[in-house]
Amino acid sequence: MAELPILPTTVIGSYPRPKWLREAIRLHKAGKLDDEEMTEAFNDAALAIMRDHQLAGVDVPTDGEVKRDEMVEFFAERLGGFRFYGPVRVWGTAYYVKPAVVSKVEYKSPLLVDEFLYTKSISYTENVKITITGPYTLAYWSYNEYYKTRQDLAYDLAKVINKELHNLVEAGARIIQIDEPAIHSTKEDVEWAVDVVNESLKGINAKLVMHVCYGDYKIVAPYLNDFKVDQINFALKIYDYEPLELFKKYNYSKEIGVGVIDVHSKRVETPEEVMKDILNTLNYFEPEKVWINPDCGLKLLPRKLAFQKLVSMVKGTQMAREELKKRGYKDTIKL
Amino acid sequence: MIKFKVSIVGSYPKPISLGKAISRYRSNKISQDKLEEYISKQTQKFFELVKNVSADYTTDGMFRWDDVVDVTFSYLAGAEKGDLMRFYDNNFYYRRPVIRSRLEAKTKDYVEYLQASKKLMSESKVSSRLKAVILGPLSYLQFSEDKYYKDPVEIMKDYVTETNKVIKEVEKVVDALEIHEPAIFDKGIKGDILQKVPELYSTLFDGIRAEKHLITYFYVNSRRLDLLFSLPVDVVGLDVIENKNKLGVIYKYFKGKKVFLGVLNTRNTKLERPSTIVNLARKAYEKGAEEVLIGNSAPMDFIPEIIAKRKINLLAKARSMYHG
Ligand SMILES: [Zn+2]
């Protein structure tokens, strides 16, 4: 069985796209780069990001999700039942594409298997992580024109995601992260949302992680132990670790991925600061149950800053490991 | 036969081209004049749509503003733009006003912007009545962060006193006022604050003759309907399309009132059926409403422009069905 250093470091998934990749995408859209050349550019970008993760010393890397435009759009484009009308604003002058469900959602062909196989082939470790947007978030971030309720839509999406997860496991995926940033958006939904997520994970034999970030954790806290995952990672740095009390209150007992890097701030955390934050977390959780990650995807940061933040995260974790050694802990854990 | 009126409410989706122009302007890459050109162009396009559906009332589409909270920065000094906050349960965020000093009226900017819209309107030969959008005092309180007053009622008092000065100038330009007060249904507002609201509205409208349309949207809290319908306004607006299960309670308040019905859901791309719209209007009259206005239930930023356009066009279709 694979081993990892105690306090394994990982990323949430996304990483800034290199500027030249954005340029290549623009050229491809303008018809000046053919599909094969575009694929090559995407693969090269994945290689570059994998190398960034390696240089920073991340234990469980991804390909930076550089091949995906956006976490809902990417899947909606590849599933049956979705339609796009155009961009909508999220604030100020920032836009995103929110798809509309106009007929029954359908799984047509694998969504991430190619991406995963390539990532695995270029990875410096067998412990790569593949991320996928969860059914509740897909449902929540789409317009529902077809299903009677959002719940009906989410359950159908759970079936679709489950099929994809089976295909990923078959392709060799061993660490899968299901992204559910919307899970705590609506109090009235949470109870069934837990069931929807679990439905999507049925029969999946892999290490399962769920990502939850910005919002009101109070809404989801009472249900955290009900998710059939091995680990949940959270944005915590931005909240100054206050939710740890909340998790304790509800006896959260799974592994926790602790967000120690604020991805919305351009200030680079120092390794000492990261170490201090980790040691504070260890007042709430057993070290064997703690993983270290940024609050969320790093995509919106300048690449240089994203890299520096990862370096700090890893250095700070190494310092915390030294401290654990002094306290008599073993320096590895089983995956 | 009694006719319903059509009223276009709040903001219309900003096309991405305008979004890009605004962000170029903010990073000093284009001039103010150039930005004004973009805004005028979109406003004109919007007025064409307004003309096509022969709307009785409309805003100017609010292309200049990020959101309904952003407008307040143009007519009040004392607050600065703070963190991004979620606008109800939408994937849409506004900058929270952080109050740092006494709130004070700034009349010039907002009036000038409205004058520009009014001019475009007459150039486009749009005969609809122009409404100026103002944020309600309770919503201002709920959406802002206080670093100065220490007392929520004091904030609202100054807000209405100062905004009243603005409205006095604004009403010289526009035909009606559209007060957005979605926070009236917010959970957890203390009784002593709610109690003050009618008095605050009296101050807000002191000496104001323009028509006053009070607009609320999204979730309706039935226990606050007494308060809502007691406020000194000409038209009371409710989002009926998202609150169909509460219509029984809502209708009880319609007798003798002028009401605005939000019949177009601006949070879903699914198009309403004109017959549904007509039935909602007819029912409101049956329940004793003195006059019924219909329109989009909330700001339109949550749907793509093409859908907003289709939805607005449904209003004309509903009217032709209803009036034969
Ligand atoms: Zn996240």
Side-chain angles (χ1 to χ4, degrees):
Chain A
M1 196 187 262
E3 283 199 330
L4 282 164
I6 194 162
L7 307 173
T9 54
T10 187
V11 286
I12 297 307
S14 75
Y15 196 78
R17 277 175 163 167
K19 190 167 182 194
W20 56 262
L21 178 65
R22 281 181 272 145
E23 194 58 19
I25 293 168
R26 195 181 63 75
L27 290 171
H28 180 243
K29 275 185 188 149
K32 289 177 186 161
L33 211 63
D34 66 29
D35 289 354
E36 205 176 309
E37 288 162 330
M38 190 64 239
T39 304
E40 184 183 332
F42 273 135
N43 285 342
D44 289 351
L47 260 170
I49 303 316
M50 184 58 80
R51 180 71 177 148
D52 273 13
H53 287 162
Q54 182 178 20
L55 289 173
V58 173
D59 301 312
V60 179
T62 66
D63 73 344
E65 296 174 8
V66 282
K67 299 173 184 181
R68 310 182 201 171
D69 265 339
E70 209 267 332
M71 63 180 297
V72 171
E73 187 186 351
F74 177 88
F75 297 97
E77 272 174 345
R78 288 159 179 80
L79 294 170
F82 285 88
R83 196 185 156 170
F84 294 89
Y85 294 111
V88 277
R89 222 150 45 85
V90 54
W91 73 75
T93 56
Y95 289 75
Y96 75 114
V97 177
K98 182 171 174 175
V101 176
V102 295
S103 60
K104 193 172 166 59
V105 295
E106 272 168 321
Y107 187 72
K108 295 195 288 196
S109 54
L111 310 162
L112 297 171
V113 170
D114 287 349
E115 180 190 302
F116 171 71
L117 289 173
Y118 186 75
T119 308
K120 198 172 101 173
S121 76
I122 59 167
S123 177
Y124 53 89
T125 161
E126 53 179 354
N127 298 319
V128 286
K129 180 160 82 176
I130 181 87
T131 62
I132 185 167
T133 306
Y136 182 79
T137 295
L138 284 174
Y140 193 79
W141 285 350
S142 303
Y143 299 107
N144 173 18
E145 294 189 27
Y146 175 76
Y147 289 88
K148 199 150 186 273
T149 63
R150 176 152 71 216
Q151 189 173 358
D152 293 346
L153 165 61
Y155 272 104
D156 259 12
L157 283 165
K159 285 181 210 152
V160 164
I161 297 299
N162 187 256
K163 276 187 194 150
E164 176 67 7
L165 293 182
H166 275 287
N167 286 332
L168 283 170
V169 171
E170 203 158 291
R174 292 167 32 185
I175 307 174
I176 298 173
Q177 176 180 293
I178 189 146
D179 293 328
E180 284 288 10
I183 199 84
H184 48 345
S185 300
T186 306
K187 204 175 175 183
E188 295 72 36
D189 290 359
V190 180
E191 221 171 300
W192 62 258
V194 174
D195 194 46
V196 160
V197 172
N198 289 342
E199 197 63 31
S200 74
L201 303 174
K202 236 182 203 165
I204 302 303
N205 185 19
K207 183 176 184 77
L208 297 172
V209 180
M210 182 166 78
H211 169 61
V212 178
C213 50
Y214 311 102
D216 187 356
Y217 293 159
K218 280 200 258 353
I219 291 175
V220 73
Y223 303 94
L224 291 176
N225 284 326
D226 302 336
F227 288 99
K228 292 186 176 139
V229 295
D230 303 292
Q231 178 187 127
I232 307 178
N233 60 44
F234 299 92
L236 285 167
K237 178 72 178 170
I238 196 166
Y239 301 121
D240 208 14
Y241 304 93
E242 273 171 24
L244 290 175
E245 282 292 340
L246 185 72
F247 300 157
K248 195 169 103 178
K249 184 179 151 197
Y250 288 101
N251 290 314
Y252 175 64
S253 60
K254 297 172 188 297
E255 287 175 8
I256 184 167
V258 181
V260 296
I261 298 293
D262 181 358
V263 307
H264 291 159
S265 153
K266 291 199 169 164
R267 183 183 70 86
V268 178
E269 291 79 357
T270 63
E272 290 74 20
E273 177 184 355
V274 170
M275 176 194 69
K276 213 181 107 246
D277 290 348
I278 294 173
L279 294 180
N280 167 46
T281 307
L282 298 181
N283 294 328
Y284 297 85
F285 289 92
E286 284 299 309
E288 291 90 348
K289 285 191 171 182
V290 174
W291 284 42
I292 306 301
N293 44 259
D295 275 357
C296 189
L298 300 167
K299 174 171 151 173
L300 295 176
L301 286 166
R303 184 172 169 194
K304 206 168 155 187
L305 278 185
F307 181 72
Q308 286 170 352
K309 281 180 176 255
L310 284 184
V311 169
S312 270
M313 179 181 89
V314 171
K315 279 192 181 152
T317 305
Q318 283 161 350
M319 289 158 71
R321 284 174 188 154
E322 287 303 314
E323 179 58 33
L324 284 181
K325 214 179 208 168
K326 283 185 218 156
R327 297 183 192 175
Y329 284 93
K330 279 208 284 189
D331 49 10
T332 57
I333 57 163
K334 295 216 154 58
L335 177 64
Chain B
M1 182 185 260
I2 318 168
K3 293 187 172 187
F4 59 73
K5 289 183 172 168
V6 167
S7 182
I8 315 289
V9 162
S11 50
Y12 188 73
K14 278 195 245 310
I16 204 158
S17 57
L18 178 58
K20 278 189 181 147
I22 293 172
S23 91
R24 285 172 68 82
Y25 170 72
R26 286 177 185 165
S27 52
N28 293 318
K29 283 179 189 147
I30 60 167
S31 66
Q32 167 105 38
D33 287 352
K34 193 80 200 159
L35 175 69
E36 292 300 330
E37 253 175 59
Y38 277 104
I39 292 175
S40 300
K41 210 177 112 198
Q42 287 310 326
T43 309
Q44 275 164 334
K45 254 176 83 182
F46 171 69
F47 282 146
E48 282 306 311
L49 175 65
V50 170
K51 196 157 90 175
N52 282 343
V53 299
S54 312
D56 299 278
Y57 296 90
T58 188
T59 64
D60 60 7
M62 299 176 73
F63 294 102
R64 193 177 289 283
W65 317 108
D66 283 350
D67 48 70
V68 69
V69 185
D70 193 24
V71 185
T72 63
F73 292 104
S74 78
Y75 62 73
L76 280 184
E80 55 191 50
K81 294 185 186 188
D83 289 341
L84 283 171
M85 305 296 291
R86 192 167 178 211
F87 191 63
Y88 293 96
D89 52 341
N90 304 294
N91 191 24
F92 189 82
Y93 297 78
Y94 64 93
R95 292 247 171 238
R96 172 161 61 180
V98 180
I99 305 169
R100 299 242 179 234
S101 60
R102 202 180 157 269
L103 295 174
E104 268 179 276
K106 285 197 293 184
T107 49
K108 191 168 155 277
D109 286 2
Y110 198 31
V111 169
E112 279 178 9
Y113 295 141
L114 289 165
Q115 274 164 343
S117 296
K118 187 80 186 177
K119 187 162 164 260
L120 285 175
M121 223 172 157
S122 62
E123 280 167 10
S124 309
K125 301 198 165 44
V126 183
S127 55
S128 318
R129 275 176 263 180
L130 181 65
K131 295 177 289 181
V133 173
I134 299 280
L135 189 65
L138 198 54
S139 299
Y140 189 78
L141 176 73
Q142 291 290 96
F143 298 157
S144 59
E145 183 184 358
D146 176 32
K147 298 262 186 192
Y148 175 76
Y149 284 93
K150 315 288 174 255
D151 176 3
V153 175
E154 289 305 310
I155 297 177
M156 290 197 292
K157 274 188 184 162
D158 273 3
Y159 181 84
V160 293
T161 310
E162 294 302 307
T163 304
N164 173 267
K165 294 179 191 164
V166 177
I167 297 178
K168 280 192 173 131
E169 296 305 312
V170 161
E171 76 168 342
K172 294 175 188 160
V173 181
V174 300
D175 311 292
L177 303 164
E178 184 178 291
I179 316 299
H180 286 226
E181 194 69 287
I184 198 161
F185 298 132
D186 282 7
K187 288 188 184 117
I189 303 181
K190 292 203 179 96
D192 56 332
I193 289 179
L194 289 172
Q195 219 181 2
K196 292 276 193 281
V197 173
E199 192 189 316
L200 291 162
Y201 266 79
S202 299
T203 311
L204 180 67
F205 295 137
D206 185 37
I208 305 295
R209 270 178 306 199
E211 252 183 73
K212 303 150 194 95
H213 298 205
L214 180 59
I215 302 295
T216 65
Y217 29 86
F218 310 143
Y219 165 81
V220 167
N221 178 348
S222 322
R223 290 196 308 270
R224 302 262 174 86
L225 288 171
D226 277 335
L227 172 64
L228 177 68
F229 280 89
S230 74
L231 297 177
V233 295
D234 301 294
V235 175
V236 177
L238 286 153
D239 182 336
V240 293
I241 199 76
E242 283 207 41
N243 292 284
K244 279 193 188 155
N245 57 338
K246 291 174 190 157
L247 284 179
V249 192
I250 293 172
Y251 283 145
K252 287 187 187 147
Y253 292 86
F254 280 14
K255 201 155 189 195
K257 292 279 182 186
K258 290 184 181 171
V259 291
F260 168 81
L261 307 180
V263 294
L264 302 174
N265 185 338
T266 59
R267 305 204 278 179
N268 198 336
T269 47
K270 190 177 185 177
L271 298 181
E272 287 73 15
R273 288 173 28 198
S275 60
T276 307
I277 298 174
V278 168
N279 286 336
L280 285 165
R282 183 176 291 140
K283 196 85 185 172
Y285 276 123
E286 280 171 21
K287 296 293 174 180
E290 185 193 313
E291 184 167 74
V292 177
L293 287 73
I294 62 163
N296 51 302
S297 61
M300 290 179 264
D301 304 282
F302 322 115
I303 42 174
E305 185 195 357
I306 184 173
I307 299 296
K309 191 172 175 182
R310 284 180 200 164
K311 292 208 175 206
I312 295 295
N313 279 319
L314 286 177
L315 297 173
K317 210 163 179 187
R319 174 150 51 195
S320 66
M321 272 176 76
Y322 191 77
H323 301 322

